[in-house]
Amino acid sequence: MKHDMYDDGDITRILKDVKTIAVLGASPNPARPSHGVMNFLLSKGYTVFPVNPGQVGTEILGRPVYAKLADIAEPIDMVDVFRASEFLPAIVDEVILLSPRPKVIWGQLSVRHDDAAAKAEAYGIEVVMNRCPAIEHPRLNIA
C-alpha cells in the first residue's frame, strides 16, 4: 500500500471491520492525544485495550492497562500506535509474533516508518500511518 495517500474506501473498510483495538502508548492524562482518541474509540463502540507498561495495575477510562500486546488475552484487530516513529520497527516485530495477528497497524499523526510498514505488509498486516482514526471516522461519516 502506498503511504502518502490512502483511499477513503480503504480507511472506511478498516474502521468498519475492526472491533478490538489496542492503544499502544495510552495515557491516563486527559490532556494527552492518546487519552482523547481512546475515549473517542470507546464512544464508537470499539473494545479498546490500553497498553502502557508504566500504568499496569491501573485503568484508563475504565479499561485495565496492559504492559505489552502479548498480555491481551483476546484477539486484537488493530494496534493504534502512539509512539515515536523510531519505535515502529520493534512494534512490528512484536505484532508479527502475536497469534492471531492483528489485521491492521495504525500509526498516529507523525508516526511513519516505511521499512517497518513494508515488513508488516509482508506478513499480511495492513498499515496506515500518519493518520488518526478519531479524525478519519467523522470525516468519512462512518456509522
Side-chain angles (χ1 to χ4, degrees):
M1 184 183 288
K2 294 186 182 216
H3 297 288
D4 292 322
M5 181 87 129
Y6 297 98
D7 180 84
D8 285 350
D10 288 333
I11 299 296
T12 299
R13 175 186 45 77
I14 288 168
L15 292 174
K16 283 185 171 186
D17 287 352
V18 302
K19 305 294 181 225
T20 57
I21 302 173
V23 176
L24 194 56
S27 173
N29 182 345
R32 303 289 300 170
S34 63
H35 191 276
V37 170
M38 184 174 158
N39 192 43
F40 174 85
L41 294 171
L42 287 166
S43 78
K44 294 302 178 187
Y46 295 102
T47 300
V48 181
F49 303 97
V51 180
N52 183 330
Q55 296 295 320
V56 172
T58 68
E59 291 185 351
I60 298 175
L61 294 168
R63 303 288 298 162
V65 180
Y66 296 86
K68 58 186 185 286
L69 295 171
D71 293 341
I72 300 170
E74 62 185 271
I76 305 161
D77 295 328
M78 183 169 96
V79 177
D80 189 7
V81 180
F82 281 91
R83 299 286 317 273
S85 298
E86 66 204 50
F87 296 107
L88 208 48
I91 292 165
V92 167
D93 289 343
E94 183 180 358
V95 168
I96 61 176
L97 294 175
L98 297 174
S99 181
R101 286 188 190 114
K103 300 170 193 167
V104 179
I105 296 174
W106 187 299
Q108 278 292 329
L109 298 175
S110 81
V111 179
R112 180 172 178 156
H113 195 291
D114 291 340
D115 291 339
K119 183 173 184 176
E121 290 166 346
Y123 281 87
I125 302 166
E126 282 191 275
V127 179
V128 175
M129 297 183 291
N130 194 32
R131 294 286 178 107
C132 177
I135 293 172
E136 298 300 309
H137 205 284
R139 181 183 74 81
L140 295 169
N141 198 28
I142 298 171

